[in-house]
Amino acid sequence: MKEKIEALRQSFEQELQKAASSDAVEKLRVAYLGKKGSVTELLKGLKDVSAQEKKELGQHVNQLKKQVEENLARQVEAIQAAEEQREIDSAEQYDVTLPTAGAKGSYHPITIVQRQLEEIFVSMGFTVEDYPEIVTDYECFEAVNVPKDHPARDMQDTYYLENGQLLKTQTSAAQNAILRKYGAPCRAIFPGRCFRNEATDASHENTFFQMEGVMVDKDISISNLIYFMKTMLSEVFERDVKVRLRPGFFPFVEPGFELDINCLICGGEGCSTCHHSGWVELCPCGMIHPNVLKMGGVDPEEYTGFAFGLGLTRLVMMKYGVKDIRDLNSGNLKALGQFVHE
Ligand code: DAH
């Protein structure tokens, strides 16, 4: 049996030298250590030898087994390292210290417009707030008057995470925290990236930007809301834009409105961006629902306020004449780099 062990050791070493791929090594492992492998068979054979021999032979077989295991593992490591090196050698090489061939970076058009809006609102006494993209169900829905079984949830196909949190579907998710942070009076805007499970087309994306705003004080009315919206839009577009206000339903406002602007891509004639209606929904808004104020710790008997949820991505499309919303998330520098370099 001793010779058998020695012969096996030699044949293993020879075969291992030839095993140049992970597959070949695996085959070898099965041939030697598998259920019917040669080393396994040897171990099984030990039961037929005398107790005296068993001790000595057992040691030899176990040594062989250990050697086979260790050498197989080493071979796998060597093969993987060689594969990695091959990948590195074949990768495209470039010198990061070389000057670029005239291609300068630029801000993303959404960043440009977001900053411009922030400036406008700051000049009107608003603070700019940051807020996480992963929020709780309470923040995104319940705290803005959308309880668990409310049908308005159907309008926002939500990405839920395994831990029960979700990707924020609307910047309104920050309203509660901001009302709690400042109490009344309060003027704040909070831009952010939102996510919904949308079928994408020229005007829908699953990832888009909004800019929300709230103003709470004594005697705030719809006239204040209209004034701030019109001021903001004429500043952004640097001209008078035609707007229309329609009734709209959002559980967090009462009354609620849809503020549309005349489609600037087609001038109101009708195109794919405005779904051939000549108007684009840009800024849903309304007077903050008393329940939302209450949940934010503000007394609705004493204070009123307005809120708006500006479609930042849409606004950018209108401002720069971007016909397809998907261009904005494309990462295509040719498409995105043509805007102002600030
Ligand atoms: N959160 C709403 C949405 O994404 C938009 C919205 C509507 C925000 C009315 C508001 C508002 O603050 O008052 O569909």
Side-chain angles (χ1 to χ4, degrees):
M1 193 164 179
K2 247 187 189 169
E3 290 91 68
K4 225 175 167 186
I5 297 176
E6 238 1 87
L8 214 54
R9 192 191 308 278
Q10 278 183 14
S11 71
F12 170 72
E13 288 301 333
Q14 276 170 7
E15 285 182 62
L16 187 65
Q17 300 244 313
K18 284 187 239 146
S21 68
S22 314
D23 277 354
V25 177
E26 177 57 17
K27 269 198 195 123
L28 212 53
R29 195 191 62 75
V30 174
Y32 282 81
L33 302 177
K35 257 195 194 149
K36 291 198 174 135
S38 355
V39 177
T40 318
E41 292 294 337
L42 268 185
L43 278 166
K44 281 186 203 158
L46 284 176
K47 69 177 188 312
D48 302 326
V49 301
S50 68
Q52 179 95 55
E53 277 180 315
K54 200 180 270 178
K55 198 170 166 213
E56 201 202 328
L57 287 175
Q59 258 178 12
H60 283 299
V61 183
N62 274 321
Q63 241 173 23
L64 173 65
K65 188 177 173 215
K66 203 168 155 217
Q67 184 183 348
V68 170
E69 280 170 351
E70 284 175 0
N71 288 358
L72 283 173
R74 208 168 301 138
Q75 186 78 346
V76 168
E77 260 175 45
I79 290 171
Q80 278 171 353
E83 271 168 15
E84 268 171 33
Q85 193 55 46
R86 256 200 307 280
E87 258 173 46
I88 292 170
D89 291 344
S90 65
E92 198 183 335
Q93 310 269 334
Y94 57 92
D95 181 350
V96 291
T97 63
L98 283 177
T100 58
K104 281 201 192 118
S106 64
Y107 283 115
H108 192 284
I110 290 183
T111 308
I112 296 171
V113 176
Q114 180 181 321
R115 291 193 179 168
Q116 195 184 358
L117 280 163
E118 286 173 3
E119 243 173 64
I120 297 168
F121 278 105
V122 165
S123 78
M124 298 193 288
F126 285 70
T127 60
V128 182
E129 306 289 328
D130 200 10
Y131 208 70
E133 290 174 346
I134 294 176
V135 296
T136 60
D137 187 274
Y138 179 79
E139 291 165 287
C140 200
F141 298 119
E142 291 190 46
V144 283
N145 208 25
V146 186
K148 287 238 154 41
D149 51 359
H150 199 288
R153 288 200 180 208
D154 289 350
M155 298 191 312
Q156 302 188 0
D157 197 350
T158 309
Y159 293 111
Y160 287 94
L161 307 182
E162 276 169 9
N163 67 2
Q165 290 184 302
L166 50 97
L167 297 184
K168 107 180 142 193
T169 56
Q170 49 183 357
T171 40
S172 310
Q175 277 199 22
N176 186 262
I178 283 159
L179 288 179
R180 293 207 160 269
K181 181 170 168 191
Y182 292 106
C186 156
R187 292 182 190 195
I189 53 164
F190 25 111
R193 188 159 57 155
C194 303
F195 308 86
R196 288 183 204 171
N197 183 22
E198 295 266 358
T200 53
D201 61 26
S203 55
H204 293 90
E205 251 291 11
N206 49 30
T207 306
F208 53 95
F209 287 80
Q210 292 186 337
M211 181 177 284
E212 188 104 354
V214 289
M215 178 173 182
V216 178
D217 209 332
K218 290 197 165 139
D219 302 324
I220 296 292
S221 71
I222 297 172
S223 320
N224 298 105
L225 168 64
I226 294 172
Y227 168 79
F228 277 96
M229 295 299 99
K230 277 202 130 177
T231 308
M232 177 264 293
L233 288 172
S234 56
E235 289 264 342
V236 173
F237 290 109
E238 294 155 13
R239 61 181 134 145
D240 242 5
V241 257
K242 252 203 205 159
V243 298
R244 71 175 186 188
L245 214 54
R246 294 178 285 128
F249 174 73
F250 302 95
F252 23 89
V253 280
E254 180 58 45
F257 306 104
E258 290 281 4
L259 188 139
D260 301 340
I261 69 163
N262 206 229
C263 181
L264 298 176
I265 304 249
C266 60
E269 300 272 296
C271 67
S272 64
T273 305
C274 62
H275 293 300
H276 306 281
S277 71
W279 294 92
V280 177
E281 279 178 24
L282 194 63
C283 190
C285 50
M287 301 305 293
I288 304 179
H289 196 287
N291 286 349
V292 175
L293 289 176
K294 246 187 263 169
M295 280 185 275
V298 174
D299 181 2
E301 297 294 327
E302 201 178 343
Y303 293 100
T304 50
F306 67 76
F308 60 88
L310 179 68
L312 189 53
T313 300
R314 283 235 173 117
L315 181 72
V316 169
M317 292 173 74
M318 285 293 112
K319 183 169 161 93
Y320 292 119
V322 179
K323 291 201 184 74
D324 194 318
I325 191 170
R326 290 165 292 197
D327 286 340
L328 292 170
N329 286 355
S330 68
N332 178 348
L333 289 182
K334 275 209 186 104
L336 299 171
Q338 56 188 309
F339 303 100
V340 202
H341 184 79
E342 286 175 15

